[in-house]
Each structure stands twice: as C-alpha cells, then as structure tokens.
Amino acid sequence: MRDEVDLVVPVKTLDRAKTRLTSATGGDPVSHAALALALAMDTVSAALATPGVRRVVTVTSDPAVAAEMAALGVEAIPEPAEPGLNEALMHGARALRSNRVGALQADLPALKPGELQAALEAAAGRRAFVPDRQGTGTTLLLAAPGGELDPRFGVGSAGHHRISGAIALFGPWPSLRCDVDTEEDLRLALTLGLGVHTANALPAWTT
Ligand SMILES: Nc1nc2c(ncn2[C@@H]2O[C@H](COP(=O)(O)OP(=O)(O)OP(=O)(O)O)[C@@H](O)[C@H]2O)c(=O)[nH]1
Ligand SMILES: C=C(OP(=O)(O)O)C(=O)O
C-alpha cells in the first residue's frame, strides 16, 4: 500500500521531558513524569490504531518509558551515542530499515487515528510534514517511499522542513497539530478529547 509507513516516536528521559509544562503539575516531579509519559502513550496508541501505520518504534534511553511502551507492543530503540532529537530520529529510522519512515512527536495526547490517516493520504507518497497549530513547529514528518527522512526538528522546524523541500500539509487535523508544550496547549488538547492515559494523569486544575 503506497501510504503505509513505519513511525519513529522520540521520547526524552522523563526527568528532562516537557520542561515548559512543569508548572502544569505544580512542580511535583512524579506527577510531571507521569504526565509526560501519558502524552507519549496516547500518541503511540493513536498511531498504532491508524490503518496506514505498519509499525511504531520509540527512541528513548528511559527504562520506564521502554517498559510502558513494551506493554503496548512497541519496541524501544536505545538513544544513539550522538545526542539530539534529529540524531535520535535518524538512528530510529535506520534501525527500522523500512521502505517508508516518518517521525511523529510524542506530545499529541488528543491524536485521532482518522486525522493521522488523512495526513498520510494527503502526503500522497511525497516527503511531507504537518506544522503544529502555531505553524512554526512540526508534529509529523514523512519521508517519501525509499527516501531519507532528513529530519530538521528544533526551533522553527516547519520553516526548515519547507526549505529542505518537504511539502507542508495543512489539513483539518486539529488533533495532529495540537502538540502539548505548555499549559495552554494542554487546555486546548482537553477540548479536543484526550486519550485515556493523559486523561488519567491530568493535573488537578483541569477538573
Ligand atoms: N529520544 C529523544 N527524544 C527527544 C530528544 N529531544 C526531544 N525529544 C522528544 O521530541 C519531542 C519533541 O520535543 P519537544 O516538544 O521540544 O519536547 P521536550 O523537549 O520534552 O519539551 P521542552 O523541555 O519543553 O522543550 C518530545 O517527544 C521529546 O520527548 C532527544 O534528544 N532524544
Ligand atoms: C521540537 C519541535 O517541537 P516544539 O516546537 O514542540 O518544541 C519542533 O517542532 O521541531
């Protein structure tokens, strides 16, 4: 199937992840780690339920993340020696050895499989990306079949992916574009309908 893809989902160690979201859990490290993990679990669960997604792997050096992902049937590939998000994604993509790879950010707790599927179809076999709701970041990057992922994540990644020749996809996919970096993002994701892991890990102010 032309649109079938294997996805790499990068997850930082939970004690370093989602620093901009720290205030959401009142500075409690245990609640913060639980929330960061829940975001990743919901993202991966939605990806696994997407018909055009053949396989999902995570790249992480956190044993707690690896154990929880294993419970979902998702392999955790250890972080490469070279640090950095793009290095982690290239390492995961190489390990997959698939015809077509993609990178999906691990902070999409409202992700709906139908919206991810629609984006895969809109890419129509091209190297393409989905900008976040602000239009500056990237939530999904897809290689062309047989092509390189060439990830350029980081500040202003949407512009970097566009300059590198990837096609920007702007579909009606709010759950795919709502990455959760801040409390404000979390509030918006809540209105879109959170996955069960994040719903169970929500801070008290949301209830
Ligand atoms: N494996 C791996 N994942 C990373 C790395 N850097 C970022 N990520 C993941 O990439 C995704 C997008 O990163 P950000 O949205 O900036 O998330 P973050 O770095 O946890 O958040 P902040 O600390 O607030 O910047 C998240 O799922 C991170 O866990 C890295 O060096 N290795
Ligand atoms: C790392 C990225 O995401 P964020 O803007 O969510 O940090 C990115 O878009 O490259």
Side-chain angles (χ1 to χ4, degrees):
M1 174 180 160
R2 186 182 60 177
D3 295 313
E4 203 164 68
V5 66
D6 293 345
L7 292 179
V8 182
V9 180
V11 188
K12 264 185 187 171
T13 55
L14 295 176
D15 59 340
R16 290 190 308 126
K18 293 287 130 205
T19 53
R20 284 167 283 173
L21 201 52
T22 307
S23 63
T25 44
D28 171 38
V30 175
S31 307
H32 180 74
L35 180 58
L37 175 62
L39 300 178
M41 296 288 281
D42 282 328
T43 305
V44 166
S45 299
L48 290 170
T50 302
V53 174
R54 194 181 65 156
R55 190 176 165 200
V56 179
V57 296
T58 59
V59 177
T60 187
S61 59
D62 192 318
V65 175
E68 294 296 329
M69 290 295 165
L72 293 179
V74 168
E75 183 188 348
I77 296 171
E79 199 89 7
E82 217 182 326
L85 174 54
N86 291 316
E87 287 69 19
L89 290 169
M90 288 187 284
H91 180 65
R94 274 193 299 271
L96 274 170
R97 301 168 67 90
S98 2
N99 180 48
R100 190 175 196 203
V101 291
L104 183 68
Q105 297 285 44
D107 54 7
L108 304 168
L111 183 61
K112 307 290 179 283
E115 294 185 15
L116 178 54
Q117 180 66 23
L120 298 181
E121 289 169 9
R126 300 168 295 179
R127 180 166 171 272
F129 70 100
V130 175
D132 63 12
R133 68 188 176 90
Q134 293 88 356
T136 52
T138 303
T139 62
L140 172 71
L141 173 67
L142 296 168
E148 295 293 325
L149 187 61
D150 190 11
R152 299 176 185 217
F153 286 87
V155 176
S157 64
H160 297 302
H161 287 132
R162 188 181 284 105
I163 287 166
S164 74
I167 307 294
L169 303 173
F170 294 96
W173 315 312
S175 75
L176 178 56
R177 298 190 61 190
C178 184
D179 58 342
V180 170
D181 292 322
T182 63
E183 274 193 41
E184 185 193 345
D185 296 330
L186 187 56
R187 286 179 205 277
L188 180 64
L190 188 56
T191 69
L192 297 175
L194 291 169
V196 64
H197 296 94
T198 308
N200 287 334
L202 279 182
W205 56 256
T206 59
T207 55

